[in-house]
Amino acid sequence: MARQSTISESPGGQAPIRVLVLGTGQMGSAMARLVLARPGLELAGACARRPGRAGMDLGRAIGLDRALGLPIVHDLEEALVRSRPRVALQATCSRLAEARDEIEILLRHGVRVITIAEEMACPAATDPVAAAALDRLARDHGAALLGTGINPGFVLDLLVITLTGVCAEVRSIRAERINDLSPYGPTVLENQGVGLSPEAFRAGLAEGRVVGHLGFRQSIGLIAGALGWTIDRIEERREPIVSTVRRETPCVTVEPGQVAGCRHTATAWRRGEPAITLVHPQQVRPELAGVGTGDRIEIDSSPPVRLSGSPEIPGGQGTAALAVNMIPHLLNAAPGLHTMADLPIPAARLGDARRWVLGGDRSAAPTEEAGQ
Amino acid sequence: MARQSTISESPGGQAPIRVLVLGTGQMGSAMARLVLARPGLELAGACARRPGRAGMDLGRAIGLDRALGLPIVHDLEEALVRSRPRVALQATCSRLAEARDEIEILLRHGVRVITIAEEMACPAATDPVAAAALDRLARDHGAALLGTGINPGFVLDLLVITLTGVCAEVRSIRAERINDLSPYGPTVLENQGVGLSPEAFRAGLAEGRVVGHLGFRQSIGLIAGALGWTIDRIEERREPIVSTVRRETPCVTVEPGQVAGCRHTATAWRRGEPAITLVHPQQVRPELAGVGTGDRIEIDSSPPVRLSGSPEIPGGQGTAALAVNMIPHLLNAAPGLHTMADLPIPAARLGDARRWVLGGDRSAAPTEEAGQ
């Protein structure tokens, strides 16, 4: 029976779900803090790619004012032995090729993996061979793998797909996310060309230093897959957002005439028409140029659907929460590679995380009140 | 592997999915037309509760300009023998008690059932014993059962739950749907008290003739279940929307001072605080009173989430499309009773419906182009 509507208890007799976090940067730290705060989950350890972090206490590293007695580990195999996790959250990279080694090690140990690497939101979009291999590896070891995040993974794909559920016909889709890069650090700002001259921006694009948004192909892959559309080609455009005003953040100052961000768009063509248009201009301090941030979805369909929100759903917080909220879904999923589009709808799985995991002994469990 | 992102074919060698429609009113007819239009589905028959419809050709009954050679059947057992359906779409009633007999007959025949009866969106909300019995019956016969619809089933619950997926904490939820009753017929208008004096509206409420929206308890049940909240009590308020202007539809004329609709709200209390507030004022010709229609969700959470759309997602069209789009999901689901909150996210399953059904032979299947 529909378990969400009937389970009101959590398996208090069961051991907490042990979670290993890969990456101790901004996103890894945010996830680790959420794991600590959620009853039924146990922060079992953390693994950092930077050797210099090894041995640091995890509590201090993720911004707590106390030690956790958990040293950060550099070697993943060692981290697995020490932490014996059931689930790993990967926040170390963006590309499939960079994420793959760690994921394979985790899957071989039967660990279920949730990654926020953008290309892993739909790995088949850029590398179907690698996606099939990861699917096979996960199945062989009774493990499961999911890529998630606010974008790709939610605003420009999952939410779009969900809204098409009320449509009998869909002609085309346009989705836009206008966000503020001000909270981000130097790596993100460099990827978007913030602070460059328009000429340097174009040179950076040509040389691959300016990349814009990573995720359009994954979002398009998820939408097209869910609707059964065959996409003929995808066109991407990256243009500098040249500022007319001075914009300042803790990391960068943009003078008038310099680049405040990247207006990145992607159009997916089907049967000679633009079927999916995704627009994602990212810049620092958009409000100084009179630009409001927000998310907007417009579906040209029967019936038509339009939904928008302003400001945008915060990216960093949303990604960390999604990854942690999806833990029970992934524990309940069949072995293999999953996407957000083939699992049950996401939800804030509040209270004791174990209550959402099927197969546990729920009979002797505490109530909501005891679980929180 | 994530099937939505990898399946690009449909099982042409397989027989179409035979669908029986229960109800030949506005909603049943809309669904029957969608089934006819969707490749891979076959409209196998229709069953009507009104004996007077028996024998009528289904094509004419659902508004086509041609006969389909399918007579409408009054007796459900006879309809099952004639149509041999794999799936039934029920559009005959709103209440669980009214829906149950037909559903039980269908489940006993191993037919998978999608119903738009409002109380079936979360039957455990009003009758957990009946919900458990239906779940058991479905399991015993390898069948499955789902309640869906635009509301309950989508705007004020599924969409809310999905949006909480990006939240680490949720303090409270407010969701509002302001819609236009003008397209609806006399039954719906009477249920909302349209055209009555304010005094007659209040008398109608007391006597149960004016009911307002049916679905708040189901939406609250779905949300609370998904978030793990225990609700202490639900308060509902139904107030007349007294018109200051003359409003006219094909079915009713509302003079100034008369009731144009019902402002129905529900508040779910948790731990002494209002946790979920649902607002659903329904009226004819809202634009004549300067009222804009729309859907709005506001989640007081970390991070905060707000999303809205105007006008509202059309209710009738959306409900019919959802029911048809969910057919593959329900065919892939485990036996038992399901809700929208525990199945994979809805999507416009365009093209050949069989491509979305797992377990079929997809190797010898036509491509998207051949499937449409």
mmCIF file of all heavy atoms in Angstrom, chain A residues 13-57:
data_model
loop_
_atom_site.group_PDB
_atom_site.id
_atom_site.type_symbol
_atom_site.label_atom_id
_atom_site.label_comp_id
_atom_site.label_asym_id
_atom_site.label_seq_id
_atom_site.Cartn_x
_atom_site.Cartn_y
_atom_site.Cartn_z
ATOM 1 N N GLY A 13 14.653 0.240 16.427
ATOM 2 C CA GLY A 13 15.531 -0.858 16.767
ATOM 3 C C GLY A 13 16.654 -1.065 15.761
ATOM 4 O O GLY A 13 17.636 -1.754 16.052
ATOM 5 N N GLN A 14 16.520 -0.462 14.572
ATOM 6 C CA GLN A 14 17.524 -0.642 13.529
ATOM 7 C C GLN A 14 18.697 0.292 13.735
ATOM 8 O O GLN A 14 18.538 1.409 14.216
ATOM 9 C CB GLN A 14 16.902 -0.283 12.195
ATOM 10 C CG GLN A 14 16.553 -1.469 11.341
ATOM 11 C CD GLN A 14 15.908 -1.013 10.058
ATOM 12 O OE1 GLN A 14 14.757 -1.325 9.815
ATOM 13 N NE2 GLN A 14 16.627 -0.271 9.253
ATOM 14 N N ALA A 15 19.874 -0.136 13.266
ATOM 15 C CA ALA A 15 21.036 0.749 13.351
ATOM 16 C C ALA A 15 20.840 1.925 12.405
ATOM 17 O O ALA A 15 20.177 1.805 11.374
ATOM 18 C CB ALA A 15 22.282 -0.036 12.967
ATOM 19 N N PRO A 16 21.414 3.081 12.723
ATOM 20 C CA PRO A 16 21.328 4.212 11.803
ATOM 21 C C PRO A 16 21.973 3.880 10.455
ATOM 22 O O PRO A 16 22.807 2.971 10.352
ATOM 23 C CB PRO A 16 22.118 5.307 12.522
ATOM 24 C CG PRO A 16 22.186 4.892 13.950
ATOM 25 C CD PRO A 16 22.143 3.390 13.946
ATOM 26 N N ILE A 17 21.585 4.613 9.443
ATOM 27 C CA ILE A 17 22.130 4.426 8.096
ATOM 28 C C ILE A 17 23.467 5.169 8.024
ATOM 29 O O ILE A 17 23.508 6.390 8.156
ATOM 30 C CB ILE A 17 21.139 4.976 7.050
ATOM 31 C CG1 ILE A 17 19.811 4.210 7.134
ATOM 32 C CG2 ILE A 17 21.736 4.907 5.651
ATOM 33 C CD1 ILE A 17 18.634 4.952 6.513
ATOM 34 N N ARG A 18 24.538 4.409 7.813
ATOM 35 C CA ARG A 18 25.879 5.018 7.837
ATOM 36 C C ARG A 18 26.159 5.676 6.482
ATOM 37 O O ARG A 18 26.030 5.047 5.436
ATOM 38 C CB ARG A 18 26.926 3.955 8.162
ATOM 39 C CG ARG A 18 26.711 3.340 9.557
ATOM 40 C CD ARG A 18 27.692 2.209 9.832
ATOM 41 N NE ARG A 18 29.065 2.667 9.844
ATOM 42 C CZ ARG A 18 29.677 3.200 10.903
ATOM 43 N NH1 ARG A 18 29.027 3.317 12.049
ATOM 44 N NH2 ARG A 18 30.928 3.600 10.822
ATOM 45 N N VAL A 19 26.588 6.930 6.529
ATOM 46 C CA VAL A 19 26.790 7.724 5.320
ATOM 47 C C VAL A 19 28.235 8.220 5.265
ATOM 48 O O VAL A 19 28.727 8.823 6.224
ATOM 49 C CB VAL A 19 25.832 8.936 5.291
ATOM 50 C CG1 VAL A 19 26.050 9.754 4.016
ATOM 51 C CG2 VAL A 19 24.383 8.472 5.397
ATOM 52 N N LEU A 20 28.882 7.976 4.152
ATOM 53 C CA LEU A 20 30.227 8.498 3.878
ATOM 54 C C LEU A 20 30.094 9.676 2.912
ATOM 55 O O LEU A 20 29.396 9.573 1.900
ATOM 56 C CB LEU A 20 31.088 7.397 3.244
ATOM 57 C CG LEU A 20 32.467 7.810 2.716
ATOM 58 C CD1 LEU A 20 33.405 8.209 3.856
ATOM 59 C CD2 LEU A 20 33.086 6.661 1.893
ATOM 60 N N VAL A 21 30.753 10.781 3.228
ATOM 61 C CA VAL A 21 30.718 11.941 2.341
ATOM 62 C C VAL A 21 32.053 12.047 1.612
ATOM 63 O O VAL A 21 33.112 12.008 2.241
ATOM 64 C CB VAL A 21 30.420 13.237 3.131
ATOM 65 C CG1 VAL A 21 30.497 14.448 2.213
ATOM 66 C CG2 VAL A 21 29.043 13.142 3.780
ATOM 67 N N LEU A 22 31.988 12.149 0.285
ATOM 68 C CA LEU A 22 33.198 12.352 -0.512
ATOM 69 C C LEU A 22 33.258 13.828 -0.896
ATOM 70 O O LEU A 22 32.378 14.321 -1.607
ATOM 71 C CB LEU A 22 33.167 11.506 -1.791
ATOM 72 C CG LEU A 22 33.614 10.043 -1.640
ATOM 73 C CD1 LEU A 22 32.642 9.270 -0.788
ATOM 74 C CD2 LEU A 22 33.766 9.388 -3.005
ATOM 75 N N GLY A 23 34.292 14.500 -0.433
ATOM 76 C CA GLY A 23 34.433 15.931 -0.702
ATOM 77 C C GLY A 23 34.111 16.720 0.551
ATOM 78 O O GLY A 23 33.092 16.475 1.206
ATOM 79 N N THR A 24 34.984 17.643 0.888
ATOM 80 C CA THR A 24 34.757 18.461 2.097
ATOM 81 C C THR A 24 34.791 19.941 1.734
ATOM 82 O O THR A 24 35.133 20.781 2.558
ATOM 83 C CB THR A 24 35.814 18.146 3.177
ATOM 84 O OG1 THR A 24 37.114 18.352 2.604
ATOM 85 C CG2 THR A 24 35.681 16.724 3.658
ATOM 86 N N GLY A 25 34.458 20.243 0.490
ATOM 87 C CA GLY A 25 34.311 21.638 0.080
ATOM 88 C C GLY A 25 32.955 22.160 0.534
ATOM 89 O O GLY A 25 32.330 21.617 1.451
ATOM 90 N N GLN A 26 32.480 23.203 -0.142
ATOM 91 C CA GLN A 26 31.236 23.836 0.279
ATOM 92 C C GLN A 26 30.067 22.845 0.247
ATOM 93 O O GLN A 26 29.297 22.749 1.198
ATOM 94 C CB GLN A 26 30.965 25.011 -0.663
ATOM 95 C CG GLN A 26 29.974 26.017 -0.112
ATOM 96 C CD GLN A 26 29.796 27.209 -1.051
ATOM 97 O OE1 GLN A 26 30.745 27.644 -1.697
ATOM 98 N NE2 GLN A 26 28.583 27.719 -1.138
ATOM 99 N N MET A 27 29.944 22.077 -0.850
ATOM 100 C CA MET A 27 28.798 21.168 -0.978
ATOM 101 C C MET A 27 28.942 19.951 -0.075
ATOM 102 O O MET A 27 27.989 19.536 0.584
ATOM 103 C CB MET A 27 28.614 20.728 -2.437
ATOM 104 C CG MET A 27 28.183 21.839 -3.374
ATOM 105 S SD MET A 27 26.755 22.780 -2.771
ATOM 106 C CE MET A 27 25.598 21.456 -2.519
ATOM 107 N N GLY A 28 30.142 19.353 -0.040
ATOM 108 C CA GLY A 28 30.348 18.197 0.835
ATOM 109 C C GLY A 28 30.085 18.564 2.283
ATOM 110 O O GLY A 28 29.455 17.804 3.046
ATOM 111 N N SER A 29 30.551 19.749 2.684
ATOM 112 C CA SER A 29 30.343 20.185 4.071
ATOM 113 C C SER A 29 28.863 20.383 4.374
ATOM 114 O O SER A 29 28.376 20.005 5.446
ATOM 115 C CB SER A 29 31.091 21.500 4.320
ATOM 116 O OG SER A 29 32.482 21.301 4.194
ATOM 117 N N ALA A 30 28.147 20.993 3.422
ATOM 118 C CA ALA A 30 26.704 21.212 3.629
ATOM 119 C C ALA A 30 25.989 19.877 3.791
ATOM 120 O O ALA A 30 25.133 19.709 4.665
ATOM 121 C CB ALA A 30 26.120 22.004 2.456
ATOM 122 N N MET A 31 26.318 18.905 2.957
ATOM 123 C CA MET A 31 25.682 17.583 3.072
ATOM 124 C C MET A 31 26.028 16.914 4.396
ATOM 125 O O MET A 31 25.171 16.304 5.033
ATOM 126 C CB MET A 31 26.151 16.675 1.935
ATOM 127 C CG MET A 31 25.627 17.102 0.598
ATOM 128 S SD MET A 31 26.320 15.990 -0.634
ATOM 129 C CE MET A 31 25.837 16.866 -2.103
ATOM 130 N N ALA A 32 27.289 17.016 4.790
ATOM 131 C CA ALA A 32 27.705 16.386 6.045
ATOM 132 C C ALA A 32 26.928 16.982 7.213
ATOM 133 O O ALA A 32 26.486 16.260 8.117
ATOM 134 C CB ALA A 32 29.210 16.573 6.241
ATOM 135 N N ARG A 33 26.723 18.296 7.194
ATOM 136 C CA ARG A 33 25.953 18.928 8.275
ATOM 137 C C ARG A 33 24.499 18.439 8.270
ATOM 138 O O ARG A 33 23.905 18.192 9.324
ATOM 139 C CB ARG A 33 26.012 20.457 8.154
ATOM 140 C CG ARG A 33 27.400 21.038 8.457
ATOM 141 C CD ARG A 33 27.364 22.562 8.613
ATOM 142 N NE ARG A 33 26.885 23.248 7.426
ATOM 143 C CZ ARG A 33 27.653 23.695 6.424
ATOM 144 N NH1 ARG A 33 28.972 23.508 6.470
ATOM 145 N NH2 ARG A 33 27.129 24.311 5.392
ATOM 146 N N LEU A 34 23.924 18.280 7.073
ATOM 147 C CA LEU A 34 22.542 17.770 7.002
ATOM 148 C C LEU A 34 22.449 16.330 7.498
ATOM 149 O O LEU A 34 21.486 15.953 8.174
ATOM 150 C CB LEU A 34 22.000 17.863 5.576
ATOM 151 C CG LEU A 34 21.757 19.259 5.006
ATOM 152 C CD1 LEU A 34 21.161 19.168 3.608
ATOM 153 C CD2 LEU A 34 20.838 20.068 5.913
ATOM 154 N N VAL A 35 23.442 15.514 7.154
ATOM 155 C CA VAL A 35 23.442 14.121 7.620
ATOM 156 C C VAL A 35 23.493 14.084 9.145
ATOM 157 O O VAL A 35 22.764 13.327 9.794
ATOM 158 C CB VAL A 35 24.622 13.342 7.004
ATOM 159 C CG1 VAL A 35 24.808 11.993 7.689
ATOM 160 C CG2 VAL A 35 24.422 13.167 5.504
ATOM 161 N N LEU A 36 24.350 14.938 9.711
ATOM 162 C CA LEU A 36 24.448 15.003 11.180
ATOM 163 C C LEU A 36 23.119 15.392 11.818
ATOM 164 O O LEU A 36 22.768 14.912 12.893
ATOM 165 C CB LEU A 36 25.482 16.067 11.572
ATOM 166 C CG LEU A 36 26.933 15.633 11.696
ATOM 167 C CD1 LEU A 36 27.790 16.856 11.989
ATOM 168 C CD2 LEU A 36 27.096 14.588 12.796
ATOM 169 N N ALA A 37 22.387 16.262 11.159
ATOM 170 C CA ALA A 37 21.159 16.801 11.749
ATOM 171 C C ALA A 37 19.962 15.877 11.581
ATOM 172 O O ALA A 37 18.949 16.052 12.260
ATOM 173 C CB ALA A 37 20.841 18.163 11.130
ATOM 174 N N ARG A 38 20.044 14.904 10.679
ATOM 175 C CA ARG A 38 18.877 14.084 10.365
ATOM 176 C C ARG A 38 18.889 12.805 11.191
ATOM 177 O O ARG A 38 19.790 11.971 11.034
ATOM 178 C CB ARG A 38 18.907 13.755 8.853
ATOM 179 C CG ARG A 38 17.739 12.979 8.295
ATOM 180 C CD ARG A 38 16.452 13.761 8.099
ATOM 181 N NE ARG A 38 16.518 15.029 7.416
ATOM 182 C CZ ARG A 38 16.272 15.246 6.120
ATOM 183 N NH1 ARG A 38 15.985 14.236 5.335
ATOM 184 N NH2 ARG A 38 16.322 16.459 5.612
ATOM 185 N N PRO A 39 17.895 12.589 12.072
ATOM 186 C CA PRO A 39 17.866 11.352 12.851
ATOM 187 C C PRO A 39 17.799 10.125 11.934
ATOM 188 O O PRO A 39 17.191 10.184 10.863
ATOM 189 C CB PRO A 39 16.567 11.472 13.659
ATOM 190 C CG PRO A 39 16.143 12.894 13.560
ATOM 191 C CD PRO A 39 16.727 13.445 12.316
ATOM 192 N N GLY A 40 18.439 9.085 12.340
ATOM 193 C CA GLY A 40 18.419 7.859 11.554
ATOM 194 C C GLY A 40 19.574 7.765 10.579
ATOM 195 O O GLY A 40 19.841 6.700 10.037
ATOM 196 N N LEU A 41 20.243 8.883 10.321
ATOM 197 C CA LEU A 41 21.465 8.871 9.507
ATOM 198 C C LEU A 41 22.660 9.055 10.450
ATOM 199 O O LEU A 41 22.580 9.784 11.434
ATOM 200 C CB LEU A 41 21.471 10.017 8.485
ATOM 201 C CG LEU A 41 20.352 10.034 7.439
ATOM 202 C CD1 LEU A 41 20.551 11.207 6.482
ATOM 203 C CD2 LEU A 41 20.291 8.718 6.670
ATOM 204 N N GLU A 42 23.759 8.395 10.108
ATOM 205 C CA GLU A 42 24.978 8.568 10.897
ATOM 206 C C GLU A 42 26.110 8.993 9.971
ATOM 207 O O GLU A 42 26.378 8.339 8.965
ATOM 208 C CB GLU A 42 25.338 7.249 11.596
ATOM 209 C CG GLU A 42 26.584 7.388 12.455
ATOM 210 C CD GLU A 42 26.893 6.114 13.242
ATOM 211 O OE1 GLU A 42 25.971 5.278 13.407
ATOM 212 O OE2 GLU A 42 28.042 5.962 13.675
ATOM 213 N N LEU A 43 26.711 10.115 10.276
ATOM 214 C CA LEU A 43 27.873 10.562 9.501
ATOM 215 C C LEU A 43 29.038 9.664 9.871
ATOM 216 O O LEU A 43 29.608 9.774 10.958
ATOM 217 C CB LEU A 43 28.173 12.036 9.818
ATOM 218 C CG LEU A 43 29.310 12.661 9.020
ATOM 219 C CD1 LEU A 43 29.046 12.609 7.523
ATOM 220 C CD2 LEU A 43 29.537 14.111 9.477
ATOM 221 N N ALA A 44 29.366 8.739 8.955
ATOM 222 C CA ALA A 44 30.323 7.689 9.295
ATOM 223 C C ALA A 44 31.743 8.053 8.918
ATOM 224 O O ALA A 44 32.694 7.412 9.375
ATOM 225 C CB ALA A 44 29.920 6.384 8.601
ATOM 226 N N GLY A 45 31.900 9.079 8.080
ATOM 227 C CA GLY A 45 33.252 9.463 7.692
ATOM 228 C C GLY A 45 33.233 10.393 6.510
ATOM 229 O O GLY A 45 32.179 10.670 5.935
ATOM 230 N N ALA A 46 34.418 10.911 6.180
ATOM 231 C CA ALA A 46 34.539 11.784 5.017
ATOM 232 C C ALA A 46 35.873 11.536 4.354
ATOM 233 O O ALA A 46 36.860 11.183 5.005
ATOM 234 C CB ALA A 46 34.424 13.254 5.421
ATOM 235 N N CYS A 47 35.868 11.705 3.059
ATOM 236 C CA CYS A 47 37.035 11.428 2.245
ATOM 237 C C CYS A 47 37.303 12.682 1.417
ATOM 238 O O CYS A 47 36.372 13.248 0.838
ATOM 239 C CB CYS A 47 36.689 10.232 1.351
ATOM 240 S SG CYS A 47 38.070 9.550 0.474
ATOM 241 N N ALA A 48 38.537 13.151 1.396
ATOM 242 C CA ALA A 48 38.868 14.373 0.658
ATOM 243 C C ALA A 48 39.935 14.072 -0.388
ATOM 244 O O ALA A 48 40.858 13.296 -0.140
ATOM 245 C CB ALA A 48 39.373 15.454 1.613
ATOM 246 N N ARG A 49 39.773 14.669 -1.559
ATOM 247 C CA ARG A 49 40.783 14.460 -2.596
ATOM 248 C C ARG A 49 42.088 15.184 -2.272
ATOM 249 O O ARG A 49 43.158 14.726 -2.635
ATOM 250 C CB ARG A 49 40.239 14.941 -3.941
ATOM 251 C CG ARG A 49 39.168 14.016 -4.493
ATOM 252 C CD ARG A 49 38.812 14.388 -5.918
ATOM 253 N NE ARG A 49 37.885 13.405 -6.479
ATOM 254 C CZ ARG A 49 37.490 13.409 -7.744
ATOM 255 N NH1 ARG A 49 37.937 14.343 -8.585
ATOM 256 N NH2 ARG A 49 36.655 12.493 -8.182
ATOM 257 N N ARG A 50 41.985 16.338 -1.614
ATOM 258 C CA ARG A 50 43.207 17.083 -1.290
ATOM 259 C C ARG A 50 43.930 16.395 -0.143
ATOM 260 O O ARG A 50 43.376 16.281 0.957
ATOM 261 C CB ARG A 50 42.831 18.522 -0.868
ATOM 262 C CG ARG A 50 42.570 19.427 -2.057
ATOM 263 C CD ARG A 50 42.104 20.801 -1.593
ATOM 264 N NE ARG A 50 40.695 20.771 -1.196
ATOM 265 C CZ ARG A 50 40.056 21.794 -0.603
ATOM 266 N NH1 ARG A 50 40.694 22.915 -0.331
ATOM 267 N NH2 ARG A 50 38.771 21.695 -0.278
ATOM 268 N N PRO A 51 45.150 15.924 -0.390
ATOM 269 C CA PRO A 51 45.880 15.202 0.665
ATOM 270 C C PRO A 51 46.055 16.060 1.916
ATOM 271 O O PRO A 51 46.058 15.546 3.041
ATOM 272 C CB PRO A 51 47.237 14.880 0.031
ATOM 273 C CG PRO A 51 47.054 15.047 -1.443
ATOM 274 C CD PRO A 51 45.958 16.041 -1.642
ATOM 275 N N GLY A 52 46.145 17.368 1.741
ATOM 276 C CA GLY A 52 46.378 18.257 2.877
ATOM 277 C C GLY A 52 45.263 18.220 3.914
ATOM 278 O O GLY A 52 45.455 18.623 5.063
ATOM 279 N N ARG A 53 44.091 17.747 3.538
ATOM 280 C CA ARG A 53 42.975 17.709 4.488
ATOM 281 C C ARG A 53 43.005 16.447 5.363
ATOM 282 O O ARG A 53 42.302 16.385 6.371
ATOM 283 C CB ARG A 53 41.632 17.729 3.733
ATOM 284 C CG ARG A 53 41.409 19.004 2.958
ATOM 285 C CD ARG A 53 39.969 19.463 3.083
ATOM 286 N NE ARG A 53 39.901 20.792 3.655
ATOM 287 C CZ ARG A 53 38.775 21.398 4.051
ATOM 288 N NH1 ARG A 53 37.625 20.770 3.937
ATOM 289 N NH2 ARG A 53 38.784 22.605 4.571
ATOM 290 N N ALA A 54 43.773 15.442 4.915
ATOM 291 C CA ALA A 54 43.770 14.162 5.635
ATOM 292 C C ALA A 54 44.172 14.369 7.088
ATOM 293 O O ALA A 54 45.099 15.124 7.390
ATOM 294 C CB ALA A 54 44.723 13.179 4.955
ATOM 295 N N GLY A 55 43.460 13.735 7.980
ATOM 296 C CA GLY A 55 43.773 13.806 9.397
ATOM 297 C C GLY A 55 43.049 14.924 10.119
ATOM 298 O O GLY A 55 42.895 14.878 11.342
ATOM 299 N N MET A 56 42.585 15.957 9.379
ATOM 300 C CA MET A 56 41.805 17.036 10.007
ATOM 301 C C MET A 56 40.536 16.448 10.614
ATOM 302 O O MET A 56 39.946 15.520 10.062
ATOM 303 C CB MET A 56 41.360 18.066 8.966
ATOM 304 C CG MET A 56 42.357 19.133 8.630
ATOM 305 S SD MET A 56 41.609 20.310 7.431
ATOM 306 C CE MET A 56 40.389 21.158 8.460
ATOM 307 N N ASP A 57 40.095 17.009 11.701
ATOM 308 C CA ASP A 57 38.823 16.542 12.256
ATOM 309 C C ASP A 57 37.667 17.043 11.385
ATOM 310 O O ASP A 57 37.622 18.212 10.988
ATOM 311 C CB ASP A 57 38.622 17.030 13.686
ATOM 312 C CG ASP A 57 37.333 16.453 14.268
ATOM 313 O OD1 ASP A 57 37.374 15.307 14.736
ATOM 314 O OD2 ASP A 57 36.284 17.136 14.199
#
